Amino acid sequence: MAEGRGASHVYGIERHTLCLASVVGNAARNRFALGTLGISEPSEIHLVDFDDDEGVLQSLVYKHPRGVRALAAAPWDPAQLLVVVGGGGGGPPGGAPVELVALPDVPAGALPSPEAPEQPTALVAELRDTAPEAMAPHAVVAHPVAQYREAATVSSAGVRVWDMAQTGPLATHTLSAARHGMDDLEAAAWHPAAAAQLATADGMCVRAWDLRADPRSQQTMAVEYAHSGKVRCLDYNPNLPYLLATGGDDGAVRVWDARSPAGALLDIGNHTHWVYSVAFNPNHDQLLLSAGGDGLVNLESVVSASSAQLVAGMAGSSVRDPPGEASAEDSGSEDEDNGIGRATDGLVAQLDDHETSVYAARWSAADPWVFASLSFDGRLVINTVPQAEKLRILL
């Protein structure tokens, strides 16, 4: 069922969920996909549309034969998803595969009425790792640029890179955990402007890789102790891809400069439990989402680690003033007169719409001011960036 609660819009299902994806390829729709674990009931994939003009949520539900542990949207086709089926951990060689599935009859416009009958997903291909050391993947990431058609699967044994442009998925690279001394490999993120570069998180370490050095991919950066606990998530700044955000079991969110990673550029401590998700805004990179085991979704302003800082520098002005101070040329500005102020680093909003751990927070691919978050109890919450912060960014 869906309900509106002021600035928050809730889509709730009575099923356990871990994964959420923003569906790309449709610039007119705020569309998200979530998968259920199917622990004690058949698993499902829900496609959810949000109309921010009307504040209306609609959905299509697809039956899926196995539980959904993780998923990623396929940028090359808005009706396809990469799905990590339930399980994870050990198992036979190759374990359970990652599936490329199609969602039948997905309309380009608004989704049909809630009474639309459920349909099964359609299997397009399997990404099955047959290497002797292979283990069941627990995560999958698709390169955000559709033309690259690359995906990476993550397991405890390593990261496997797949070329999705072939007749069938073709494994092209392997980052072996054993060979590269990685322990407890958790997550990966694609460099937004390069087809052969990605970052990984293992234990407390964050690494960056250049896959062009195949067959022994070159490590280009490593932060051995990025967090005092396990690193759970990471994301590249889409406009300044040498910047990387991470979240860890210490409750911290940090931003790193891969060119000089000796210390974090920003250290944000607004969570009280493990951080499961971090995401830069794809358009306005001074906005950063995070979500965690404390049930909170935090919207942060990270102006000092964004392209806005560079733009302001080229214009000959400073983005940030010391707290309580303003430059002489700004003291009588129209922005100040209107009470808008200027964007600075800090917490923009802390959302407590969830009652259990929040495992994912994602920006809409259609509207840069819309974002969604998903908690373990099947609660999807859609919010928008506060109007005052939008004005600070745009004016």
Side-chain angles (χ1 to χ4, degrees), residues 271-295:
H271 283 283
T272 59
H273 202 265
W274 300 352
V275 178
Y276 288 115
S277 180
V278 290
F280 277 103
N281 187 292
N283 297 83
H284 306 291
D285 59 330
Q286 60 266 64
L287 295 175
L288 180 68
L289 276 178
S290 63
D294 51 10

Side-chain angles (χ1 to χ4, degrees), residues 49 52 132 184 214 307:
D49 265 12
D52 51 341
D184 203 12
D214 187 71
S307 56

Side-chain angles (χ1 to χ4, degrees), residues 39-369:
I39 296 174
S40 58
E41 67 284 314
S43 62
E44 299 173 342
I45 291 177
H46 291 239
L47 200 61
V48 182
D49 265 12
F50 172 60
D51 185 332
D52 51 341
D53 291 329
E54 302 293 333
V56 173
L57 288 164
Q58 290 180 288
S59 67
L60 280 177
V61 180
Y62 294 88
K63 299 176 183 177
H64 193 68
R66 288 184 281 187
V68 180
R69 179 179 176 84
L71 56 77
W76 55 86
D77 189 332
Q80 291 186 352
L81 297 171
L82 289 158
V83 177
V84 178
V85 298
V98 173
E99 301 172 342
L100 177 65
V101 304
L103 307 180
D105 301 326
V106 175
L111 296 180
S113 68
E115 291 75 26
E118 293 185 10
Q119 300 182 67
T121 58
L123 180 64
V124 177
E126 290 186 344
L127 287 65
R128 186 182 290 274
D129 193 346
T130 57
E133 72 277 11
M135 299 179 71
H138 57 258
V140 61
V141 286
H143 198 288
V145 179
Q147 70 186 53
Y148 291 146
R149 295 190 70 136
E150 299 273 349
T153 56
V154 183
S155 74
S156 298
V159 176
R160 194 78 156 154
V161 176
W162 302 82
D163 182 353
M164 304 298 295
Q166 305 301 314
T167 303
L170 176 65
T172 58
H173 299 80
T174 299
L175 296 176
S176 168
R179 182 189 309 152
H180 294 287
M182 294 186 287
D183 181 48
D184 203 12
L185 193 62
E186 178 70 16
W190 284 102
H191 188 291
Q197 296 181 45
L198 54 77
T200 59
D202 65 284
M204 295 183 286
C205 184
V206 174
R207 310 173 197 262
W209 303 88
D210 187 342
L211 303 179
R212 293 172 295 183
D214 187 71
R216 300 186 68 85
S217 300
Q218 180 181 357
Q219 181 175 288
T220 59
M221 182 273 289
V223 182
E224 294 293 339
Y225 298 101
H227 290 261
S228 60
K230 185 175 183 178
V231 182
R232 296 271 172 184
C233 52
L234 63 169
D235 190 39
Y236 277 100
N237 183 316
N239 297 333
L240 299 178
Y242 51 82
L243 299 183
L244 192 68
T246 61
D249 283 1
D250 53 6
V253 172
R254 298 193 172 109
V255 179
W256 306 87
D257 188 332
R259 303 168 302 177
S260 180
L265 289 180
L266 287 175
D267 191 342
I268 304 167
N270 291 322
H271 283 283
T272 59
H273 202 265
W274 300 352
V275 178
Y276 288 115
S277 180
V278 290
F280 277 103
N281 187 292
N283 297 83
H284 306 291
D285 59 330
Q286 60 266 64
L287 295 175
L288 180 68
L289 276 178
S290 63
D294 51 10
L296 298 176
V297 177
N298 290 336
L299 176 61
E300 303 280 352
S301 175
V302 292
V303 178
S304 63
S306 73
S307 56
Q309 180 82 331
L310 297 182
V311 172
M314 289 187 290
S317 62
S318 171
V319 172
R320 300 177 66 196
D321 291 322
E325 298 182 18
S327 62
E329 63 180 344
D330 290 334
S331 60
S333 69
E334 180 179 353
D335 286 357
E336 295 293 339
D337 290 344
N338 288 336
I340 297 172
R342 60 174 57 181
T344 59
D345 289 353
L347 182 65
V348 175
Q350 187 169 76
L351 308 171
D352 59 358
D353 300 289
H354 296 279
E355 297 178 354
T356 58
S357 295
V358 185
Y359 283 100
R362 301 286 183 263
W363 293 98
S364 168
D367 186 336
W369 307 115

